[in-house]
Amino acid sequence: MQFLEFARICEHLEGISGRLDLIEQVSTVLPGLDDEELPIFVRFIMGRIFPDWSPKKLGVGPNLLYDAVAYVVGTKRSVVREAINAIGDAGLAIEDLLANKEQTSFFVQEMDLLEVYQDFERVAAAEGARSQREKLLLVRKLFANARPLEGRYLARLMLGELRIGMGEGNVRDAIARAFDIDVRLIEHAQGAMNDLGEVALLARRDPVALSQVTIEPFRPVKMMLAQAGTIAAQIEDHGEVAVEYKYDGSRFQFHKVGDLCRIYSRRLEEVTGSLPDIVMHLGKATDHDVILDGEVVAVQDGRPMPFQYVIRRFRRKHQVNAMMEKIEVVPRVFDILYLDGETLMDRPLIERRRILEEVLDDAHIAPQFLVRDAASAEAIYTEALDLGHEGVMVKVPSSPYTPGVRGRLWVKVKPGVETLDLAVIGAEWGEGRRAKMFGSFLLAVQDQGRLLPVGKVATGITDEVLADLYALLKDSVIARSGKEVTLEPKVVFEVGYSEIQASPNYESGYALRFPRFVGVREDKGVDEVETLDALVERYRQQNIRQGSGSPAP
Ligand code: AMP
């Protein structure tokens, strides 16, 4: 497939708002792609370039991208920025710029999907001192060969947001439809393979194999996630529940084959080098090949330390030893996904737990209590808080491990305000002494690959934190308009609120009342922020609690 055709498909999809229509359209394209193109198309259409398990990253920020475009159209970066600011969308502005240039250039070389992907691979592979220059040359070459419409989608792909509404769920449905396969099989295979591109290929080649896919060590799978809930409701729904402490640390996945150990963060980045003490603890704790799931916790004098300490260890790349002396971390393992070649994902939690206890040294296993009555569970909750933990996790004993799913099979219970994890997609310059920083931030939920605004947060942030946030976000500015800037969505905020309201002011249809900044979720990626569906569910629950029957808009 030519990249131009891909761009035309994207343009067509951009004009469609109905989910079913989108799925239908994509499903008709998939069968016509060859084996090399299919996985690439599937990832591209979601706005992703590499498989989710892959550590590869493009490493191209807005500035480098604008420099490349400026060079190709024969202008300065500032002109590119101005064009983007005027339109408010990098893709459309770059398309315009290329259209103006096109009148003067004679020749563009056709690019097909595979070639563009291979160029992206080269961009990602550029490392070391001269990497920025190398990346720049490659990105220039891509734009030099791009027709205006191709430029729109090249830019958006590189910025990580295609804006056509094909999220993972829709693509999964499109694959199922294209190859006439039960969507649950696709979902299952995706859980283990963590790359819908490869799943699509398998769906076409050997649908039977989809039910037999196994997890491969050193290809991290997405972490299973939890919904907020209550002990009482979970017991009422399931009878018996498995209660564990909810540690205030950072999630990790530990892979071991023979003597080789690797650790992945919640965002599936490899962090082995930062956590030699965890490798030391767990490497010796089992003779088996395993994939374990757990939380890294910082401790001091036997008491857990807050999450911020742990995250500093995860981020540390240099002088790890010095940091190790300052912050001691220990693993708390609560699940096992793989043992000696066998994938355990589909086994019930209690069985996985039994296996975990058989193969791993007890010292590293997080305690688990099976209870049937709310009073016992409440007692464990109180004990967890007394011990300095965040609360408890209440899990369904018969549940499989569902990678990446934030369902009710795991429910988190913790005291305090309700918070949401939201993507930061824009900001506004501050005033007075805050004039050189951003003073408020525009936040968004995700909905099938789109980020939809739900409100702004300006409260709860000290000047010192504002300065840090400015340093964190200043290079992500995509466009400016008056006092407002659009940001490349990269950072996740945890935000407290008093109430969710239906609101026509924001594209999501909802707004937060009294939003308050709680912190940056450095362990979370933008693809993990609250979904619109979950927000609507919270809104519904809130209205039930408040006794008002107003329906979702
Ligand atoms: P949250 O980040 O608030 O959505 O809460 C879910 C997170 O709690 C998980 O991703 C883990 O990092 C963490 N966690 C702490 N203790 C446990 C536990 N016993 N089981 C599962 N997750 C846990």
Side-chain angles (χ1 to χ4, degrees), residues 11-23:
E11 187 187 28
H12 174 64
L13 296 175
E14 215 176 318
I16 297 176
S17 55
R19 195 179 105 78
L20 295 179
D21 205 5
L22 274 172
I23 294 168

Side-chain angles (χ1 to χ4, degrees), residues 124-428:
E127 270 179 39
R130 294 189 50 76
S131 66
Q132 289 303 302
R133 178 83 195 148
E134 253 177 82
K135 284 181 198 282
L136 180 66
L137 293 178
L138 287 160
V139 176
R140 269 189 204 166
K141 190 191 115 198
L142 277 164
F143 280 105
N145 282 323
R147 292 192 183 82
L149 189 66
E150 291 175 299
R152 183 199 303 181
Y153 293 102
L154 266 182
R156 288 194 185 159
L157 263 177
M158 285 194 238
L159 292 172
E161 211 198 337
L162 216 50
R163 301 192 173 191
I164 57 176
M166 284 305 287
E168 204 168 305
N170 284 354
V171 173
R172 203 173 51 209
D173 289 356
I175 298 171
R177 198 182 170 104
F179 304 115
D180 196 17
I181 287 170
D182 186 340
V183 73
R184 282 170 303 188
L185 264 183
I186 306 284
E187 200 170 3
H188 179 268
Q190 162 63 356
M193 294 174 95
N194 205 4
D195 174 19
L196 267 180
E198 237 176 296
V199 171
L201 202 56
L202 205 57
R204 175 163 72 192
R205 276 193 190 151
D206 187 2
V208 180
L210 279 179
S211 59
Q212 294 153 4
V213 292
T214 52
I215 302 182
E216 265 181 55
F218 309 124
R219 278 174 68 151
V221 296
K222 292 202 176 80
M223 316 261 173
M224 180 162 173
L225 301 168
Q227 255 182 38
T230 63
I231 291 173
Q234 198 72 339
I235 289 186
E236 199 179 311
D237 290 349
H238 301 283
E240 192 175 45
V241 292
V243 184
E244 297 169 8
Y245 299 142
K246 182 174 191 306
Y247 299 98
D248 187 15
S250 208
R251 192 78 174 267
F252 79 113
Q253 202 173 88
F254 176 82
H255 292 221
K256 171 178 175 293
V257 174
D259 289 335
L260 186 59
C261 301
R262 286 198 186 137
I263 302 177
Y264 301 92
S265 70
R266 174 185 179 127
R267 299 177 68 174
L268 311 187
E269 284 162 344
E270 205 200 316
V271 288
T272 319
S274 310
L275 300 166
D277 32 1
I278 299 291
V279 174
M280 197 186 70
H281 284 306
L282 291 180
K284 287 188 307 204
T286 178
D287 297 329
H288 297 267
D289 296 348
V290 289
I291 298 179
L292 307 174
D293 184 10
E295 188 92 342
V296 171
V297 188
V299 285
Q300 198 171 49
D301 305 326
R303 296 268 310 171
M305 306 276 287
F307 156 78
Q308 284 76 6
Y309 287 83
V310 190
I311 204 75
R312 267 157 57 192
R313 283 292 312 277
F314 267 66
R315 260 191 275 143
R316 186 52 81 115
K317 297 220 168 69
H318 309 290
Q319 296 174 315
V320 171
N321 285 339
M323 199 66 168
M324 244 164 79
E325 279 167 23
K326 276 202 209 136
I327 302 174
E328 188 195 348
V329 291
V330 292
R332 295 281 178 254
V333 178
F334 46 73
D335 220 317
I336 179 164
L337 314 185
Y338 171 97
L339 176 71
D340 298 328
E342 202 185 332
T343 297
L344 307 176
M345 253 176 24
D346 298 327
R347 308 267 192 108
L349 172 66
I350 35 170
E351 203 177 318
R352 300 200 302 276
R353 175 81 194 184
R354 190 181 48 71
I355 297 172
L356 181 63
E357 287 171 3
E358 266 168 31
V359 302
L360 189 74
D361 184 343
D362 285 351
H364 306 300
I365 303 182
Q368 187 188 73
F369 311 91
L370 285 172
V371 300
R372 289 185 158 278
D373 62 304
S376 311
E378 296 284 354
I380 300 165
Y381 177 57
T382 311
E383 180 183 87
L385 297 178
D386 286 347
L387 288 170
H389 303 305
E390 239 192 320
V392 287
M393 299 290 285
V394 187
K395 303 181 177 177
V396 178
S398 60
S399 59
Y401 191 93
T402 52
V405 178
R406 185 185 291 285
R408 300 200 57 79
L409 295 175
W410 289 11
V411 156
K412 55 185 175 189
V413 182
K414 56 182 179 180
V417 291
E418 296 222 52
T419 67
L420 288 166
D421 292 329
L422 301 168
V424 184
I425 58 167
E428 201 169 304

Side-chain angles (χ1 to χ4, degrees), residues 15-87:
I16 297 176
S17 55
R19 195 179 105 78
L20 295 179
D21 205 5
L22 274 172
I23 294 168
E24 165 71 23
Q25 299 282 330
V26 173
S27 73
T28 58
V29 178
L30 301 183
L33 297 162
D34 70 28
D35 279 3
E36 269 180 325
E37 291 165 344
L38 181 59
I40 298 173
F41 179 90
V42 164
R43 284 185 227 121
F44 277 12
I45 206 79
M46 292 187 286
R48 297 183 201 166
I49 296 174
F50 301 113
D52 287 352
W53 58 263
S54 165
K56 271 188 219 168
K57 280 214 174 69
L58 207 57
V60 170
N63 283 341
L64 193 146
L65 188 86
Y66 302 165
D67 279 344
V69 172
Y71 178 85
V72 169
V73 302
T75 183
K76 290 188 296 205
R77 188 207 290 172
S78 57
V79 175
V80 177
R81 260 199 193 286
E82 275 161 29
I84 295 171
N85 294 342
I87 297 187

